[in-house]
Amino acid sequence: NDVMPYVNAIDCEQNRNNTNPIVEFPDKCPDCGTRLILSDSGKTAICTNPICPGKIMSKMVNMLQKLNIKGFGESTIKDLNVFSFHDLMKLKESQILNILGPVNSQNLIDAKRSIINGNLTDADLVGALGFTGIASQKWKLIFNNITLSSLVKMMDSGDNDNALYTLSNIAGIGNLTAQTIINEYPLYRKDLLYIIENIHYRDTTTLVNNNGKQIRFTGCRNLQLVQQVSKLGHDISGDLGVTKNTDILIVPYKGYNQGNKIKKVSDKCLIVPIDDFISNMDYYLNK
């Protein structure tokens, strides 16, 4: 496992008389043939094809490790013919038993049951999928601000400008991460939907404060307020729509009655002027 960053030919008779040509560094991906590009540091070469078989295989191996599914390498993944999270989770127990031996079959079956009924968070699951350069800790920052369901709804709306603004303005999430999510979302959409519909995951937005409230804005915005309140464990967003679970709708002033959001909130939702909310935040968040 040693790394050799530099290799210099030894000046000896064997090397001086070596007629073998110098091996050129490859300029195309050996798995898919896509032209390689150098990283910003110049130390690595990158295949930019998002559906490169080699990249997909590497992501699957990494995903299994992050989900604590041990003992499954590339050969086993190929035998199972699974190349995504939802492929893996949709495998029937009978299929697994027919492909793998009894020990590995039971290990995988137990691991799948644990994922479905276990204590993984949304950040743990999405962080394992393989979004480029976005691990679970960064997803935790995102899901402290918006729920996984809200993220999918926002991405499915097709309004990439809104998605870029919403994600890049979360503390600790910049334009590069936000743009990566937008670009790669189509690759992982089925995985995200499977998680929402089938996995009993823990919602990050409720972990800090089990009494967290869903707070939305209409007619006004305040990014600093969003960041401050989200750190307290509340689901607050200036861009997402209201739901039947919206607890507080922040408006620009008392008597404001414009926009569809006010018409959609439930009778239990508090409609609060933004200045009043800021001045009496503890009261409204604990009401």
Side-chain angles (χ1 to χ4, degrees):
N1 293 324
D2 290 338
V3 177
M4 299 175 63
Y6 302 102
V7 178
N8 297 312
I10 298 174
D11 186 12
C12 62
E13 182 180 355
Q14 288 79 3
N15 282 333
R16 287 193 294 271
N17 296 328
N18 189 345
T19 58
N20 292 324
I22 296 175
V23 177
E24 296 290 336
F25 189 84
D27 61 356
K28 293 182 179 179
C29 173
D31 287 303
C32 69
T34 300
R35 184 168 293 278
L36 301 174
I37 64 170
L38 290 178
S39 64
D40 292 338
S41 66
K43 295 180 180 180
T44 57
I46 303 169
C47 172
T48 58
N49 178 12
I51 57 173
C52 169
K55 291 179 70 173
I56 291 174
M57 182 60 66
S58 295
K59 287 182 177 182
M60 282 297 298
V61 172
N62 189 48
M63 182 192 76
L64 292 172
Q65 292 174 347
K66 288 183 176 179
L67 293 175
N68 201 31
I69 303 177
K70 300 177 180 178
F72 293 90
E74 292 189 9
S75 60
T76 307
I77 294 171
K78 290 178 181 178
D79 290 340
L80 292 169
N81 196 34
V82 293
F83 302 102
S84 67
F85 177 78
H86 68 276
D87 282 347
L88 175 70
M89 298 306 294
K90 285 182 177 180
L91 273 180
K92 297 179 180 179
E93 292 187 7
S94 58
Q95 293 176 291
I96 297 172
L97 290 166
N98 286 334
I99 297 171
L100 304 179
V103 175
N104 281 342
S105 292
Q106 194 58 53
N107 288 342
L108 183 55
I109 291 169
D110 290 344
K112 286 182 57 182
R113 289 174 181 169
S114 177
I115 291 171
I116 293 172
N117 301 308
N119 291 317
L120 292 175
T121 67
D122 43 15
D124 294 328
L125 290 163
V126 180
L129 295 182
F131 280 85
T132 303
I134 312 177
S136 59
Q137 287 302 311
K138 193 151 285 189
W139 282 109
K140 184 177 180 180
L141 295 176
I142 294 171
F143 293 138
N144 266 327
N145 290 268
I146 58 175
T147 64
L148 175 55
S149 296
S150 296
L151 174 70
V152 169
K153 181 179 179 181
M154 178 175 67
M155 298 305 302
D156 281 348
S157 72
D159 189 348
N160 288 346
D161 289 339
N162 175 50
L164 183 62
Y165 173 83
T166 301
L167 293 171
S168 62
N169 281 285
I170 294 173
I173 306 297
N175 281 340
L176 180 60
T177 297
Q179 194 62 61
T180 298
I181 294 171
I182 293 169
N183 293 342
E184 297 185 3
Y185 172 75
L187 299 175
Y188 299 104
R189 182 177 182 273
K190 289 183 178 180
D191 295 327
L192 298 175
L193 289 175
Y194 188 92
I195 291 170
I196 292 170
E197 295 168 1
N198 299 280
I199 306 297
H200 301 291
Y201 61 87
R202 292 186 295 156
D203 191 331
T204 298
T205 58
T206 65
L207 293 180
V208 177
N209 185 347
N210 289 329
N211 296 316
K213 296 184 182 296
Q214 185 183 102
I215 305 166
R216 298 292 183 260
F217 292 74
T218 185
C220 59
R221 297 289 187 275
N222 187 314
L223 178 59
Q224 185 177 0
L225 179 62
V226 169
Q227 294 174 344
Q228 180 182 357
V229 175
S230 66
K231 289 179 181 178
L232 300 174
H234 299 279
D235 175 12
I236 180 171
S237 171
D239 300 284
L240 298 179
V242 299
T243 73
K244 63 181 180 180
N245 297 318
T246 300
D247 300 296
I248 301 172
L249 182 62
I250 298 177
V251 296
Y253 52 83
K254 186 177 181 179
Y256 181 85
N257 194 27
Q258 301 178 34
N260 293 326
K261 288 185 178 181
I262 289 181
K263 299 176 182 178
K264 292 180 180 179
V265 297
S266 69
D267 295 335
K268 296 180 180 179
C269 179
L270 298 175
I271 299 177
V272 184
I274 188 167
D275 289 339
D276 186 19
F277 181 84
I278 293 172
S279 299
N280 302 282
M281 191 183 305
D282 289 341
Y283 169 78
Y284 286 111
L285 293 180
N286 295 288
K287 187 175 175 62

